[in-house]
Amino acid sequence: MDALRAERILKMLNERNIPQLKLQLGITASRLGGHHPLKGCRACFADSERDTGNAFWRVDHQFPSSFVCSLHGTRLATVWDPVTPVHRRRWLLPLGEPACTWIEQAGVTDRQFKVLDRLQSNSCAFAKLPSGRLDADKLASAYRTGLREDAVEIRAQQGFPAMRPRPRCSRSGPAGQG
């Protein structure tokens, strides 16, 4: 970002010109709206406030797939703000005024926590990939494989017989008839 653009953005921030600021930052306007609650780890807030003098939101906690803090091994809490994002005219700070209303996540088992932690770790690794490095076909194949493996594992845990592969169909009819 060049210095002139950075200066314009800081001016908008100081003047509380939020609509123009969003435009400059590439945050598009939409009539659909959306509620994207902020998430955070209280231990991270305490650490950042101790180390820098300010508590701040961590980007890795804001991924839709983030539910745990890998650093502290805790579940993330969610902030409830009754103001819709399109009508918000103030910054929502983790420990700022007005005080945030925090919603704690329900408890999870150790096994569930490990899965959520792995999801968090994978999301962070994914976010660090250079743009254009993701092949949509390979991703779809990986999802299908993962879902298939999970279904087999769940069925086995519940005492169901193993799934049999479905017969493949060709354009002319079921396998063996074409």
Side-chain angles (χ1 to χ4, degrees), residues 74-103:
T74 59
R75 291 174 310 208
L76 298 177
T78 303
V79 169
W80 170 252
D81 184 22
V83 179
T84 60
V86 73
H87 295 107
R88 185 174 295 126
R89 297 292 184 253
R90 63 181 171 79
W91 293 104
L92 191 58
L93 303 174
L95 303 178
E97 290 297 327
C100 297
T101 301
W102 289 93
I103 300 169

Side-chain angles (χ1 to χ4, degrees), residues 49-66:
E49 190 169 46
R50 181 192 66 232
D51 297 342
T52 68
N54 294 298
F56 56 87
W57 302 106
R58 291 179 48 112
V59 172
D60 60 320
H61 291 168
Q62 306 315 314
F63 297 139
S65 53
S66 294

